[in-house]
Amino acid sequence: MKLSKQARQHELKNTIEDTPFIRDEELARRFGVSIQTIRLDRMELSIPELRERIKSVATQEWNETVKALPIEEVIGEVVDLELDVRAISILDIKPEHVFSRNNIARGHHLFAQANSLAVAVINEDLALTAGSTIRFTRPVKLGERVIAKARVKGDDSKGRTIVDVHSYVDNDEVFAGSFEMFRENEPKEVGEK
Amino acid sequence: MKLSKQARQHELKNTIEDTPFIRDEELARRFGVSIQTIRLDRMELSIPELRERIKSVATQEWNETVKALPIEEVIGEVVDLELDVRAISILDIKPEHVFSRNNIARGHHLFAQANSLAVAVINEDLALTAGSTIRFTRPVKLGERVIAKARVKGDDSKGRTIVDVHSYVDNDEVFAGSFEMFRENEPKEVGEK
DNA sequence: ATTACTGTTAGTACCTAGTCTTAATTCGTG
DNA sequence: CACGAATTAAGACTAGGTACTAACAGTAAT
């Protein structure tokens, strides 16, 4: 059975939140319904059309909320950010990111995107990465667009915040990492500078 | 006198750079020429249409060309290398490596140094990082010299080569990582889609 | 004076990714 | 099978363009 209307609308919302640059046509294809249905759904959910969505990304509803990182220091382009909850960034793989021999993106760029997103999502003036475990699921090629999604999982026993980041190219996971973030202002201790 | 073509095009470029959301209609009004003239000008200057401009603001050709941090040069200088055994590199922490707020080196630079050393130490035309577990032991400050030492530990069950990297500043460990390296010439793996 | 050329303006057809409206069709369930 | 909800379809219109053709004015060269 195809998704119920409720379920579809729920997924629709998520999909658009994740990839705001998607057209109705592509959404219709994905959900196996007509374009009109997608448009009805958008209307019911009051989700604006593509161009308006792009505009609102461009007009920085997000960028004023970044605390730990000046936005220009985030690797990749932040398209969504809710502090201490989640963040999404896009990195287009360009010639400077790849090994010249095979046009595969060098790992540290994917790491950099994920790590800086993990730093950016922390609602703190100062956040540092204490450690991380990562995995490169499949190589990323020149020209591909990597969408990194960070989600704050909560704090561990030592007061470190765990941030999971998964990066995708066309819905294929290419990178997964768990970052253990150190926040300056966790315990009462003010600590040196 | 109305502006010369040259002058108008020059102003046009500036205007669009300043306020990329402006429509041709408004530009025509401002410069007292027809909308077609503006379009010809844009064509000659290869300035894209409004929607593409908005998109590129949202997609950040903007931020990227301005900052474009040359991560390529992050890797450090290799001072010792014995293939498949060990390697050492040095990275001097410069202003472009640190957070502007506190002059602490950004994690991905230490990661990049270690990761690229792990790639370099592999005796293979092509090596990729499959995964890694890392730890940032203490923050590294602007001006410090980081010495990364990689040692090849051998292969795991899946034919991945394990490389351990430890980085030091003045004999203090600042970073430790274990990298699981994939070598192209191991099994038949062609790469699915 | 005629020709050539540049710069500007005009008009048409076409495009995308929608909108809004009305109507017809199909689905799920009683 | 009927009925309302859900879906699809069809048509007209919009913004902000592209691409192309044509026309005209003013200047320069022949």
Side-chain angles (χ1 to χ4, degrees), chain B residues 120-187:
Chain B
V121 76
I122 299 291
N123 185 14
E124 196 79 38
D125 275 348
L126 178 64
L128 293 174
T129 308
S132 83
T133 297
I134 63 180
R135 181 138 300 274
F136 296 95
T137 322
R138 79 141 165 91
V140 176
K141 298 271 180 60
L142 178 62
E144 292 185 318
R145 164 165 294 188
V146 182
I147 298 176
K149 299 182 183 177
R151 186 156 286 277
V152 176
K153 305 308 273 188
D155 293 356
D156 72 1
S157 55
K158 284 181 293 191
R160 307 277 163 77
T161 302
I162 305 301
V163 179
D164 282 358
V165 180
H166 293 263
S167 299
Y168 305 87
V169 169
D170 292 337
N171 291 325
D172 287 354
E173 183 177 273
V174 295
F175 171 95
S178 182
F179 294 82
E180 193 182 317
M181 307 304 294
F182 171 79
R183 324 168 72 114
E184 196 74 89
N185 291 334
E186 202 69 10

Side-chain angles (χ1 to χ4, degrees), chain A residues 125-136:
Chain A
D125 278 346
L126 177 63
L128 292 175
T129 308
S132 81
T133 296
I134 63 178
R135 182 138 297 274
F136 296 95

Side-chain angles (χ1 to χ4, degrees), chain A residues 21 51 54-55 57-59 67-79 91-92 94 96-97 99 101-102 104-109 111-112 115-116 119 125-139 145 160 172 180 193, chain B residues 21 51 54-55 57-64 67-69 71-72 74-75 98-102 104-109 111-113 115-116 119 124-137 139 141 158 160 179-180 184 192-193:
Chain A
F21 290 62
R51 284 153 181 159
I54 292 179
K55 230 177 277 182
V57 168
T59 42
K67 293 189 75 175
L69 259 195
I71 196 74
E72 70 273 10
E73 292 190 4
V74 178
I75 310 291
E77 163 222 359
V78 177
V79 295
L91 178 66
D92 287 320
K94 301 193 171 159
E96 65 266 31
H97 299 124
F99 287 108
R101 267 186 296 214
N102 51 17
I104 290 178
R106 307 181 69 160
H108 64 260
H109 291 290
F111 176 85
N115 185 50
S116 67
V119 172
D125 278 346
L126 177 63
L128 292 175
T129 308
S132 81
T133 296
I134 63 178
R135 182 138 297 274
F136 296 95
T137 321
R138 79 141 165 89
R145 165 166 292 186
R160 306 276 165 79
D172 288 352
E180 193 182 316
K193 207 233 99 136
Chain B
F21 291 61
R51 284 148 180 160
I54 292 179
K55 229 177 278 181
V57 167
T59 312
Q60 163 126 35
E61 258 116 64
W62 169 57
N63 227 331
E64 195 128 30
K67 264 276 163 179
L69 59 171
I71 218 161
E72 293 306 302
V74 142
I75 293 148
V98 304
F99 288 108
S100 53
R101 272 205 171 65
N102 49 20
I104 290 178
R106 306 181 67 170
H108 65 260
H109 291 115
F111 175 85
Q113 180 189 19
N115 184 50
S116 59
V119 171
E124 196 79 38
D125 275 348
L126 178 64
L128 293 174
T129 308
S132 83
T133 297
I134 63 180
R135 181 138 300 274
F136 296 95
T137 322
K141 298 271 180 60
K158 284 181 293 191
R160 307 277 163 77
F179 294 82
E180 193 182 317
E184 196 74 89
E192 49 0 333
K193 205 315 320 264

Side-chain angles (χ1 to χ4, degrees), chain A residues 41-184:
Chain A
D41 285 348
R42 273 200 300 102
M43 213 187 304
E44 287 177 20
L45 300 167
S46 18
I47 295 170
E49 61 166 291
L50 173 65
R51 284 153 181 159
E52 297 307 315
R53 295 195 303 264
I54 292 179
K55 230 177 277 182
S56 80
V57 168
T59 42
Q60 78 222 0
E61 255 115 70
W62 37 273
N63 85 357
E64 279 167 298
T65 55
V66 178
K67 293 189 75 175
L69 259 195
I71 196 74
E72 70 273 10
E73 292 190 4
V74 178
I75 310 291
E77 163 222 359
V78 177
V79 295
D80 181 48
L81 176 67
E82 191 176 336
L83 286 171
D84 274 340
V85 180
R86 64 160 202 291
I88 297 173
S89 82
I90 293 177
L91 178 66
D92 287 320
I93 301 302
K94 301 193 171 159
E96 65 266 31
H97 299 124
V98 303
F99 287 108
S100 52
R101 267 186 296 214
N102 51 17
N103 282 346
I104 290 178
R106 307 181 69 160
H108 64 260
H109 291 290
L110 297 183
F111 176 85
Q113 179 189 20
N115 185 50
S116 67
L117 196 61
V119 172
V121 76
I122 299 291
N123 185 13
E124 198 77 37
D125 278 346
L126 177 63
L128 292 175
T129 308
S132 81
T133 296
I134 63 178
R135 182 138 297 274
F136 296 95
T137 321
R138 79 141 165 89
V140 176
K141 297 272 181 60
L142 178 61
E144 292 187 316
R145 165 166 292 186
V146 182
I147 298 177
K149 300 182 185 180
R151 180 142 239 121
V152 176
K153 306 309 272 189
D155 294 356
D156 71 2
S157 53
K158 286 180 293 191
R160 306 276 165 79
T161 302
I162 305 302
V163 180
D164 282 358
V165 180
H166 293 261
S167 300
Y168 305 86
V169 170
D170 292 337
N171 291 323
D172 288 352
E173 185 176 273
V174 296
F175 171 96
S178 185
F179 294 84
E180 193 182 316
M181 308 303 296
F182 172 79
R183 346 170 50 119
E184 196 78 358

